[in-house]
């Protein structure tokens, strides 16, 4: 144990001087971090919590061409330009993959998920100096594959029921899917137990827990993102855009008007930025929802067309995407002199989504900031120049994705009809019969069925 | 300078931790209660029986190099001996080794009789017991987390841990109640709203806890707080989800609850006996007391035990029928027509067995075949749960999770193998035994839009007519 610690300690020192001259010197943060290393309470300086060597996350990854183009400017402006250029690049990338369609989106989500997982696991390795733990890298990736297999299998079985029923091996896999996933997971669990080495028990348990918590956060929520996507691409685009808008607007408002600090955890956030971001995000969401609701491409659930073996986004738009007239309350009537206004109901929903993104979404950011402070890292990784790692960009998105999913499940749609049918067909015949009668009487009550001629019951 | 009278080592300082409230059950020394209620002694001081007056009280004692090396050891001392006085008196004559076995034996019998007793009392009581066991396991593991990280005085953290436990339990119990007591829920108006927006309410409650956590982050204790947050969540994942899987199994029929638990208990006991009498080859470095002879002997005896137990239980409706809620009497009932699994069938024996036993066919419940699969899992993969818990105890240098049960340790010590088993049984049932829950399907059906319902109705009608369950109907204008 002490050997591992020494190696980490030796590696840390030469790197720490680099960081002070880093472009994004957060002033207080940097000094605060150095101070913490010495003056922390006994809890943190015990052997259980070694310092993280500050290494790869802070190297300058800016491409040479950008460096050349901007070499005239002073470092602070250069930093802003880099961030700006990369922001535009990311936003254009976002539009491009939306244009390319659902399959590409799913692949991109999956890639992002794998990268986030890798970033967090790498931090875990550095924190615990557990580079040489036997088997551990293999096991982490194995668990990632297992959990992904489980979730993708459930998604495929739900949404592509027709395709699955056609192919014999797929049908077998779908029927025993949970059992197979569980068996795969158990194999990983048993490998972990067998890999426990006498001197490294605690490290191995920590890494095991770290892996599982990361899986819980990253993988489950990326699958919620994909399920939102299947509801209709608008449920994917609008939440993500709202969070990005809130980030940018809060930054701009804070930059121009910022005065009162918001929370000790992130000294750069201000109340002015927070409130300004809230209002501008609500307006932005409202407008964006209006623009996107008109296109079937965004609004329709993604369906799998069995004949063409491709994804189709064509349907009759549901009620929330059909313009309706709302009467304005009297107060607003007096100011605007309109009686009614034509809105998509989805725009009302977008107000709720925007409120969540501005009010609660930042807590995801604070959580990630606290995490970085706790483990004394500046960024999760250095994948994106000027911005840090993928996880840095996506930390607020995770709460949003879960919220959108829960919102859809509670307020928008009922269960998935093909899934219900699939479950129906798996029941015992007597149960099917009784359900049939219940449904029959229910539909008859509602007048959906013409009053039937004599039916033998 | 204090010198240990037993080992002769020098103890320079005793790293006291002043704790804000007396939490005596966390830090108890061997045989001694905490003096004064405000200070806890560390293990190094205790083992050498240093008296109070010789110890220097330090506030947040600075650890020097010697105690820094030792501080790899978390100060989680051995739980105190909690054997009730009556047992102590009765066994005072025997030597301590036999005394220990008698205590273990008596407690084992006590636990098994208690198990029978609560089975007799019925499903409601079983659910309550599962809930209590879950809460106790959660508390034990969280307490270990506190002592490992010395995080007694973290702001808010106890409250937050229990709050998250409540949230997750609310979520799972709500799902269970909505699934199984659908008609009851539809009747009562407040319950209906709660169940319709159940996921949203649970998520909002969880988010509140999450935001409270973020707001409670204190500058010096970030890392500790994140560790405890992670610890709490992993504990919730292990303990709470699997206790709910146990309850789901219970609703399938009490036999799906009793047989797996009994198989695991039997495997424990049989492996111990076989190891005791015949044990020679060690099984795994992690648990030096386990042997291959115990493992294999336990495997075969558990299979036989499982077959016999399922034979005995499959004959009674009380065990075999799914637990239902009777709307009229507002209580649970276990009355039904036993499914095919629980009806005797003839199986033709393979010829090898025919020649040995001289029978051509044998009458078995199909459930007994399933019980072989369950027993095999309990004997082969179940012990890995035990090894995991042993590794955990080694990693954090604790002997037992707690000392709730004299001679056995904590509740978690008894239940560590059960968790894997419960998950396996649940997955097994979902994959091989039953389809979806009919009342849940109806509930989902009624939540669909009218046109989707019509579409499903027509598909179902076509399907049933194909299978011949519905006589061919005269179609009015559809």
């Amino acid at each position: 144990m002490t050997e591992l610690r020494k190696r980490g300690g030796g590696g840390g020192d030469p790197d720490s001087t680099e960081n002070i001259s880093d472009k994004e010197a957060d002033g207080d943060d940097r000094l605060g971090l150095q101070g913490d290393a010495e003056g922390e309470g006994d809890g943190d300086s015990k052997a259980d919590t070694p310092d993280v060597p500050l290494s790869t996350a802070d190297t300058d990854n800016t491409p040479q061409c950008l460096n050349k183009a901007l070499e005239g400017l002073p470092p602070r402006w250069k930093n802003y330009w880099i961030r700006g250029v990369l922001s535009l690049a990311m936003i254009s990338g976002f539009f491009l993959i939306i244009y390319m369609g659902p399959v590409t989106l799913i692949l991109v989500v999956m890639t992002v998920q794998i990268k986030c997982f890798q970033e967090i696991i790498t931090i875990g390795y550095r924190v615990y100096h557990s580079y040489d733990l036997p088997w551990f890298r293999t096991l982490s990736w194995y668990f990632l594959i297992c959990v992904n297999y489980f979730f993708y299998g459930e998604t495929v079985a739900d949404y592509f029921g027709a395709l699955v029923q056609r192919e014999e091996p797929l049908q077998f896999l779908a029927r025993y899917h949970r059992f197979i996933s569980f068996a795969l997971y158990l194999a990983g669990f048993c490998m972990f137990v067998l890999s426990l080495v006498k001197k490294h028990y605690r490290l191995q348990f920590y890494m095991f827990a770290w892996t599982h918590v990361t899986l819980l956060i990253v993988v489950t929520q990326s699958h919620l993102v994909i399920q939102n996507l299947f509801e209709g691409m608008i449920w994917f685009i609008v939440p993500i855009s709202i969070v990005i808008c809130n980030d940018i607007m809060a930054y701009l408002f804070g930059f121009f008007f910022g005065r009162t600090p918001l929370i000790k955890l992130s000294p750069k956030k201000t109340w002015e930025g927070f409130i300004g971001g809230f209002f501008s995000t609500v307006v932005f969401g409202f407008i964006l929802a209006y623009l996107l609701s008109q296109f079937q491409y965004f609004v329709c659930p993604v369906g799998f067309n069995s004949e063409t073996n491709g994804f189709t986004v064509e349907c009759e738009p549901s009620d929330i995407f059909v313009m309706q007239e709302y009467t304005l309350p009297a107060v607003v009537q007096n100011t605007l002199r309109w009686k009614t206004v034509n809105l998509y109901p989805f725009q009302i929903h977008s107000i709720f989504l925007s409120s969540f993104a501005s009010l609660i979404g930042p807590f995801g950011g604070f959580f990630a900031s606290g995490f970085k402070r706790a483990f004394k890292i500046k960024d999760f990784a250095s994948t994106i120049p000027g911005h840090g790692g993928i996880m840095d960009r996506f930390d607020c998105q995770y709460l949003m994705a879960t919220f959108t999913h829960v919102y859809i499940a509670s307020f928008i749609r009922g269960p998935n009809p093909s899934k219900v049918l699939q479950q129906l067909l798996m029941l015992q015949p007597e149960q099917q019969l009784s359900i049939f009668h219940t449904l029959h009487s229910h539909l008859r009550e509602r007048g959906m069925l013409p009053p039937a001629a004599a039916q033998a019951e | 300078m204090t010198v240990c009278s037993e080992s002769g080592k020098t103890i320079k300082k005793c790293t006291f931790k002043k704790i804000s409230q007396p939490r005596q059950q966390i830090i108890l020394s061997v045989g001694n209660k905490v003096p004064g209620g405000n200070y806890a002694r560390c293990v190094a001081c205790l083992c050498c029986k240093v008296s109070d007056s010789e110890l220097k009280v330090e506030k947040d004692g600075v650890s020097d190099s010697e105690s820094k090396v030792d501080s790899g050891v978390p100060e989680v001392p051995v739980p105190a001996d909690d054997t009730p006085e009556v047992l102590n008196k009765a066994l005072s004559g025997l030597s301590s080794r036999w005394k220990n076995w008698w205590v273990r034996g008596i407690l084992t019998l006590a636990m098994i009789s208690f198990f029978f007793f609560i089975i007799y009392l019925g499903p409601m009581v079983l659910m309550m017991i599962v809930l209590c066991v879950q809460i106790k396991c959660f508390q034990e593991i969280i307490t270990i987390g506190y002592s490992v990280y010395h995080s007694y005085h973290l702001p808010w953290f106890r409250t937050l841990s229990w709050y998250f436990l409540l949230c997750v339990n609310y979520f799972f119990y709500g799902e269970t109640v909505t699934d199984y007591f659908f008609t009851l829920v539809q009747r009562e108006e407040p319950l209906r709203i709660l169940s319709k927006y159940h996921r949203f309410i649970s998520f909002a409650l969880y988010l509140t806890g999450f935001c409270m956590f973020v707001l409670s982050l204190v500058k010096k204790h970030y890392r500790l707080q994140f560790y405890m947050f992670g610890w709490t969540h992993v504990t919730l994942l292990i303990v709470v989800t699997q206790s709910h899987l146990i309850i789901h199994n219970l609703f399938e029929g009490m036999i799906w609850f009793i047989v797996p638990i009994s198989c695991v208990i039997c495997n424990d006991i049989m492996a111990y006996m076989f190891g005791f009498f015949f044990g020679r080859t060690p099984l795994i470095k992690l648990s030096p007391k386990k042997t291959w002879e115990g493992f294999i002997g336990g495997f075969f005896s558990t299979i036989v035990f499982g077959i016999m137990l399922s034979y005995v239980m499959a004959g009674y409706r009380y065990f075999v029928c799914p637990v239902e809620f009777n709307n009229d009497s507002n209580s649970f009932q276990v009355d039904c027509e036993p499914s095919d699994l629980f009806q005797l069938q003839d199986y033709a024996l393979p010829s090898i067995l025919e020649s040995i036993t001289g029978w051509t066919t044998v009458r078995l419940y199909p459930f007994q075949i399933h019980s072989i699969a369950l027993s095999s899992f309990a004997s082969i993969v179940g012990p890995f749960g035990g090894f995991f818990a042993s590794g955990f105890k080694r990693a954090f240098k604790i002997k037992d999770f707690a000392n709730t049960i004299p001679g056995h340790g904590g509740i978690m010590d008894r239940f560590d193998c059960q968790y894997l088993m419960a998950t396996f049984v649940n997955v097994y049932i979902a994959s091989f035994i039953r389809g979806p829950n009919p009342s849940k399907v109806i509930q989902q059906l009624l939540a669909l839009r009218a046109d989707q319902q019509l579409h499903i109705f027509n598909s179902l009608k076509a399907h049933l007519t194909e299978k011949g369950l519905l006589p061919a109907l005269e179609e009015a204008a559809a």
Side-chain angles (χ1 to χ4, degrees):
Chain A
M1 278 277 232
T2 41
E3 283 167 2
L4 291 174
R5 249 186 296 137
K6 272 194 210 137
R7 173 160 64 164
D13 286 341
D15 286 340
S16 57
T17 48
E18 263 183 38
N19 301 319
I20 300 204
S21 61
D22 194 52
K23 39 191 188 327
E24 285 258 328
D26 279 356
D28 284 353
D29 288 7
R30 183 57 49 198
L31 292 176
L33 289 174
Q34 293 289 16
D36 272 353
E38 277 107 39
E40 270 190 22
D42 26 315
D44 277 4
S45 61
K46 287 256 162 76
D48 293 341
T49 58
D51 287 335
V52 181
L54 307 159
S55 51
T56 60
D58 309 292
T59 52
D60 192 5
N61 229 349
T62 329
Q64 271 310 308
C65 53
L66 268 181
N67 264 331
K68 283 216 180 75
L70 301 168
E71 52 187 7
L73 301 165
R76 191 165 177 219
W77 282 105
K78 178 170 161 195
N79 181 44
Y80 286 151
W81 269 104
I82 292 179
R83 275 186 80 107
V85 167
L86 260 304
S87 301
L88 284 177
M90 288 195 289
I91 292 179
S92 340
F94 184 48
F95 284 144
L96 178 69
I97 57 179
I98 289 176
Y99 173 72
M100 285 174 54
V103 182
T104 320
L105 269 172
I106 294 177
L107 286 176
V108 170
V109 168
M110 189 149 158
T111 314
V112 165
Q113 172 207 106
I114 293 178
K115 194 75 180 70
C116 288
F117 182 79
Q118 189 210 1
E119 285 177 8
I120 300 183
I121 292 289
T122 310
I123 292 176
Y125 288 149
R126 295 216 311 264
V127 168
Y128 291 113
H129 308 284
S130 51
Y131 311 108
D132 53 334
L133 275 188
W135 283 93
F136 212 78
R137 281 177 189 273
T138 321
L139 274 176
S140 304
W141 289 107
Y142 177 80
F143 281 127
L144 177 70
I145 294 177
C146 277
V147 180
N148 265 321
Y149 173 75
F150 172 68
F151 278 119
Y152 272 105
E154 295 257 328
T155 310
V156 165
D158 282 350
Y159 287 95
F160 305 138
L163 169 69
V164 164
Q165 297 296 47
R166 259 190 343 211
E167 311 278 343
E168 186 53 37
L170 282 187
Q171 204 185 18
F172 175 77
L173 282 181
R175 188 161 153 64
Y176 298 110
H177 179 250
R178 287 200 175 179
F179 191 76
I180 296 173
S181 313
F182 184 63
L184 288 174
Y185 176 80
L186 269 189
F189 182 83
C190 295
M191 290 312 308
F192 169 71
V193 172
L194 292 172
S195 79
L196 288 174
V197 173
K198 196 176 163 96
K199 278 200 195 305
H200 303 301
Y201 287 150
R202 191 183 287 209
L203 274 184
Q204 290 181 293
F205 271 94
Y206 279 157
M207 287 310 296
F208 187 75
W210 190 287
T211 305
H212 278 68
V213 175
T214 311
L215 283 174
L216 194 70
I217 297 177
V218 173
V219 179
T220 45
Q221 277 151 341
S222 73
H223 280 274
L224 293 180
V225 168
I226 290 183
Q227 291 205 337
N228 294 347
L229 181 72
F230 274 107
E231 279 299 308
M233 296 206 340
I234 199 173
W235 290 105
F236 171 79
I237 298 171
V238 167
I240 290 187
S241 314
I242 288 180
V243 173
I244 295 174
C245 168
N246 185 58
D247 257 355
I248 297 175
M249 286 298 155
Y251 181 75
L252 288 176
F253 273 88
F255 184 72
F256 288 118
F257 308 114
R259 213 147 288 130
T260 344
L262 181 61
I263 189 173
K264 283 195 293 291
L265 202 45
S266 291
K268 281 158 77 177
K269 311 266 187 223
T270 56
W271 275 102
E272 289 82 6
F274 187 71
I275 296 179
F278 170 66
F279 284 112
S280 47
T281 307
V282 170
V283 170
F284 172 79
F286 201 75
I287 297 176
L288 183 69
Y290 175 76
L291 288 175
L292 290 181
S293 301
Q294 298 162 5
F295 299 96
Q296 269 192 8
Y297 183 66
F298 295 122
V299 153
C300 290
V302 174
F304 188 74
N305 195 334
S306 323
E307 289 102 48
T308 62
N309 265 6
F311 288 93
T312 54
V313 268
E314 262 190 32
C315 65
E316 191 63 39
S318 81
D319 290 339
I320 39 177
F321 300 107
V322 174
M323 250 312 175
Q324 286 179 14
E325 283 199 40
Y326 291 90
T327 47
L328 288 174
V331 170
V332 186
Q333 269 194 35
N334 294 337
T335 34
L336 291 178
R337 268 184 280 113
W338 290 331
K339 284 245 185 66
T340 63
V341 65
N342 276 334
L343 285 180
Y344 292 102
F346 182 69
Q347 292 180 276
I348 318 277
H349 292 300
S350 80
I351 297 181
F352 291 110
L353 294 179
S354 313
S355 315
F356 182 86
S358 339
L359 297 174
I360 312 277
F363 279 91
F366 300 149
F367 186 84
S369 294
F371 182 83
K372 288 190 276 191
R373 298 274 168 111
F375 296 102
K376 297 192 176 42
I377 52 181
K378 187 181 178 313
D379 284 321
F380 280 91
S382 60
T383 319
I384 311 177
H387 284 270
I390 300 266
M391 196 62 200
D392 286 296
R393 288 301 96 213
F394 283 84
D395 50 21
C396 301
Q397 300 281 3
Y398 282 121
L399 274 184
M400 191 69 200
T402 319
F403 176 75
T404 312
H405 183 87
V406 172
Y407 189 85
I408 293 177
S410 304
F411 297 111
I412 308 291
R413 70 161 168 88
N416 183 13
S418 57
K419 185 173 184 179
V420 177
L421 187 58
Q422 180 193 343
Q423 287 184 326
L424 257 184
L425 296 174
M426 286 206 310
L427 288 173
Q428 307 278 350
E430 323 68 75
Q431 295 166 323
Q432 286 177 343
L433 209 52
S434 81
I435 290 183
F436 176 76
H437 291 311
T438 317
L439 189 58
H440 182 84
S441 43
H442 176 81
L443 285 175
R444 182 120 54 99
E445 264 171 56
R446 291 180 89 182
M448 297 286 304
L449 282 180
Q455 288 182 5
E457 294 261 318
Chain B
M1 290 263 205
T2 332
V3 174
C4 174
S5 51
E6 298 210 330
S7 66
K9 276 194 287 194
T10 315
I11 306 173
K12 288 185 191 157
K13 281 168 188 137
C14 187
T15 51
F16 267 33
K17 271 268 179 270
K18 183 173 181 188
I19 48 183
S20 50
Q21 299 136 23
R23 298 270 182 201
Q24 302 193 3
Q25 71 268 27
I26 298 176
I27 311 269
L28 279 184
S29 53
V30 179
N32 295 325
K33 290 280 184 192
V34 176
N38 268 341
Y39 292 91
R41 300 188 204 165
C42 61
V43 176
C45 307
L46 277 174
C47 74
C48 294
K49 297 196 176 60
V50 177
S51 70
D52 286 8
S53 56
E54 287 173 320
L55 291 170
K56 299 269 185 294
V57 173
E58 301 273 345
K59 220 178 193 176
D60 292 347
V62 177
S63 32
D64 57 9
S65 57
E66 184 185 23
S67 48
K68 193 167 190 180
V69 170
D70 286 341
S71 65
V73 181
E75 279 140 25
V76 183
V78 178
D81 189 12
D82 222 13
T83 327
E85 272 310 300
V86 53
L87 267 181
N88 264 329
K89 283 215 182 77
L91 303 167
S92 51
L94 303 164
S95 71
S96 64
R97 190 171 178 214
W98 282 103
K99 176 174 163 190
N100 184 41
W101 285 352
W102 270 104
V103 170
R104 276 185 80 105
I106 291 179
L107 260 304
T108 309
L109 284 177
M111 288 195 289
I112 293 180
S113 347
F114 183 65
F115 183 48
F116 285 143
F117 181 58
I118 56 177
I119 290 175
Y120 173 73
L121 286 181
M124 266 309 276
V125 177
L126 269 172
M127 270 173 62
M128 300 268 111
I129 300 281
V130 169
L131 186 61
C132 293
V133 165
Q134 174 207 107
I135 293 178
K136 194 74 180 69
C137 288
F138 182 79
Q139 189 209 1
E140 285 177 7
I141 300 183
I142 292 289
T143 307
I144 291 176
Y146 287 149
S147 27
V148 168
Y149 291 114
H150 310 288
S151 53
Y152 314 109
H153 52 292
L154 275 188
W156 282 94
F157 213 79
R158 281 177 189 274
T159 321
L160 274 176
S161 303
W162 289 106
Y163 177 79
F164 281 127
L165 177 69
L166 270 173
C167 279
V168 181
N169 265 322
Y170 173 75
F171 172 67
F172 278 119
Y173 271 104
E175 296 257 329
T176 310
V177 165
T178 316
D179 283 350
Y180 286 95
F181 305 138
F182 181 61
T183 35
L184 169 69
V185 165
Q186 291 297 82
R187 259 191 341 210
E188 311 279 343
E189 188 54 34
L191 282 186
R192 203 174 63 82
I193 296 184
L194 280 182
S195 86
K196 186 160 154 56
Y197 299 109
H198 179 250
R199 286 199 176 180
F200 191 75
I201 296 173
S202 314
F203 184 62
L205 289 175
Y206 177 81
L207 269 189
T208 314
F210 182 83
C211 295
M212 290 311 309
F213 169 71
V214 172
L215 291 173
S216 78
L217 288 173
V218 173
K219 196 175 160 91
K220 276 200 194 303
H221 302 298
Y222 287 150
R223 194 181 286 210
L224 274 185
Q225 289 181 291
F226 271 94
Y227 279 157
M228 287 311 295
F229 187 75
W231 190 288
T232 305
H233 278 69
V234 175
T235 311
L236 283 174
L237 194 70
I238 297 176
V239 173
V240 179
T241 44
Q242 279 152 343
S243 72
H244 279 273
L245 292 179
I246 291 181
I247 291 184
H248 274 266
N249 296 346
L250 183 73
F251 274 105
E252 279 300 306
M254 297 204 343
I255 200 174
W256 290 105
F257 171 79
I258 298 172
V259 167
I261 291 187
S262 313
C263 283
V264 173
I265 295 175
C266 168
N267 185 59
D268 259 354
I269 297 176
M270 286 298 154
Y272 181 76
M273 299 281 194
F274 274 87
F276 184 72
F277 289 117
F278 308 113
R280 213 147 290 130
T281 343
L283 181 61
I284 188 172
K285 282 195 293 291
L286 203 46
S287 292
K289 282 159 69 175
K290 312 266 187 227
T291 56
W292 275 103
E293 289 83 6
F295 186 70
I296 296 179
F299 171 65
F300 284 111
S301 47
T302 307
I303 290 190
V304 170
F305 173 79
I307 292 181
M308 291 195 310
L309 182 70
S310 23
Y311 179 76
V312 167
M313 291 208 150
Y316 297 94
R317 274 197 195 166
Y318 183 68
F319 296 124
V320 153
C321 290
V323 174
E324 308 245 317
F325 188 74
N326 194 334
N327 303 326
D328 314 308
S329 61
N330 263 6
S331 65
F332 288 95
Q333 62 176 29
V334 270
D335 211 7
C336 67
E337 190 63 40
S339 81
D340 291 339
L341 274 187
F342 301 105
Q343 293 184 358
L344 278 173
Q345 287 179 12
D346 281 328
Y347 289 90
L349 284 176
S351 40
I352 318 169
L353 288 178
E354 268 192 54
S355 30
I356 304 178
T357 52
W359 296 328
T360 35
T361 63
V362 65
R363 308 202 72 197
L364 286 180
Y365 293 103
F367 182 72
Q368 291 181 275
I369 318 276
H370 290 298
S371 81
I372 296 180
L374 295 180
S375 313
S376 316
F377 184 86
S379 342
I380 300 179
V381 186
F384 279 90
F387 299 150
F388 186 83
S390 295
F392 181 82
K393 287 190 277 193
R394 297 267 168 125
F396 297 101
K397 298 194 174 48
I398 54 182
K399 186 181 177 307
D400 285 319
F401 279 90
N403 61 348
T404 320
I405 311 178
H408 284 271
I411 300 267
M412 195 63 202
D413 286 296
R414 288 301 95 212
F415 282 83
D416 50 21
C417 301
Q418 299 283 1
Y419 282 122
L420 272 184
M421 191 70 198
T423 319
F424 176 76
V425 172
N426 189 281
V427 171
Y428 190 86
I429 293 178
S431 303
F432 296 112
I433 308 292
R434 70 161 167 88
N437 182 15
S439 59
K440 187 171 186 178
V441 177
I442 291 192
Q443 174 197 344
Q444 289 183 323
L445 260 183
L446 296 175
L448 287 173
R449 290 201 309 261
D451 55 330
Q452 294 168 324
Q453 286 176 347
L454 198 58
H455 171 73
I456 291 184
F457 176 76
N458 289 330
S459 316
L460 185 61
K461 183 150 76 159
H463 176 82
L464 287 175
T465 321
E466 256 185 66
K467 285 184 110 184
L469 287 168
L470 277 181
L473 304 168
E474 291 195 21
E475 297 279 348

